[in-house]
Amino acid sequence: MSPADLVFLAWHAARDHLDLFGSLGLCLGFAGGMMPRRSLILVTSATCSACFALHFLQLGAQTGTAMCLVSVMQSVVAARWIGAASRAPWVAPLFVASSLVAMGLTLATWNGWPSACAGLGSLLATTARLQADPQAMRRFFLGSSSCWALHNTLVGSVFGLTCDLLTLTALVIALVRGGSARSVSARAAEPSAASSAAAPLPGAV
C-alpha cells in the first residue's frame, strides 16, 4: 500500500470526527469576547454564528441552526446601522420582526430544553446587539452565552460548549478590564474638575 493510500484511508477514518466549522467558531467566540470595540465584537460575532450554524446543522440541532442564522443578520445590521449617537429608524422594527421569527422557529423546531435554552439565548443576544455601550452589550452577551452553554451541553456539542466557556471567560475579563478603565478615567477626571472649580473667575481680584 502506497503512502498516498495510507493518507487517503486515514482521512476517511478521521473526517467524521473533524469539525472545521466548530473549530473556527470556537476561536472566533473567544476572540469576539476580547474585542475592544463594539463594531469588532459584532463582526466577529456574526462570523462565529455563521460557523456554528453549519456546525449545528451537521449535528441535526435545527433550533440552534435557526438561531445562529438570525444572529448573523442581527449582528451585521447592528454593526452597520446602530451607533453610539444614532440608530436607523427601521432597525428596531427589524429586530422585533426577527425576534418573532426566532420565536416561531423555536416553536416549529421545538426539542424540549435545548430549544428553550436556544430561544432565551437568542433573545438576550438580540437585546445585546441593540446596546450602544460595549459594556452593556457584554453583560447581555454574558447571559446569552450562559444559555447557549446549556443548549450545547444538552445537544452534545463539544465545540459549542468549549466555545461558550471560552467566550464567558473572555467576556468576564473584558468587563473587568472595562470597569477598571472607567474607574481610572473617573479618578483622573476628579482632580481636573476640582481644579476648575477652585480656579478664580477671569477678572476676579
Side-chain angles (χ1 to χ4, degrees):
M1 183 177 292
S2 67
D5 291 331
L6 290 173
V7 171
F8 181 77
L9 289 173
W11 164 250
H12 276 275
R15 68 178 181 177
D16 291 337
H17 304 286
L18 298 176
D19 190 333
L20 176 61
F21 299 116
S23 300
L24 288 173
L26 190 153
C27 297
L28 289 166
F30 180 77
M34 295 297 292
M35 289 295 170
R37 295 199 307 274
R38 179 182 176 279
S39 60
L40 291 176
I41 295 172
L42 289 166
V43 170
T44 309
S45 175
T47 311
C48 176
S49 294
C51 290
F52 273 108
L54 295 170
H55 170 69
F56 289 136
L57 186 63
Q58 291 179 342
L59 291 177
Q62 294 91 346
T63 305
T65 301
M67 296 302 105
C68 285
L69 293 176
V70 172
S71 296
V72 172
M73 182 276 293
Q74 289 183 348
S75 294
V76 171
V77 170
R80 175 64 181 83
W81 285 286
I82 297 179
S86 63
R87 177 191 300 173
W90 50 267
V91 168
L94 176 64
F95 271 53
V96 171
S98 61
S99 296
L100 292 175
V101 170
M103 289 175 61
L105 290 171
T106 300
L107 295 174
T109 60
W110 186 259
N111 189 32
W113 281 108
S115 295
C117 292
L120 181 56
S122 178
L123 180 62
L124 289 170
T126 296
T127 307
R129 296 181 191 103
L130 288 170
Q131 307 302 310
D133 178 51
Q135 286 291 84
M137 177 184 288
R138 290 184 182 109
R139 291 188 190 97
F140 281 105
F141 273 137
L142 194 68
S144 175
S145 294
S146 299
C147 292
W148 279 104
L150 290 173
H151 170 272
N152 292 327
T153 300
L154 293 170
V155 302
S157 171
V158 176
F159 279 112
L161 179 59
T162 305
C163 175
D164 290 326
L165 294 176
L166 288 173
T167 300
L168 288 168
T169 302
L171 286 169
V172 170
I173 291 172
L175 282 167
V176 172
R177 184 178 59 192
S180 299
R182 287 187 177 184
S183 299
V184 171
S185 299
R187 285 196 297 268
E190 286 176 1
S192 299
S195 298
S196 300
L201 296 173
V205 178

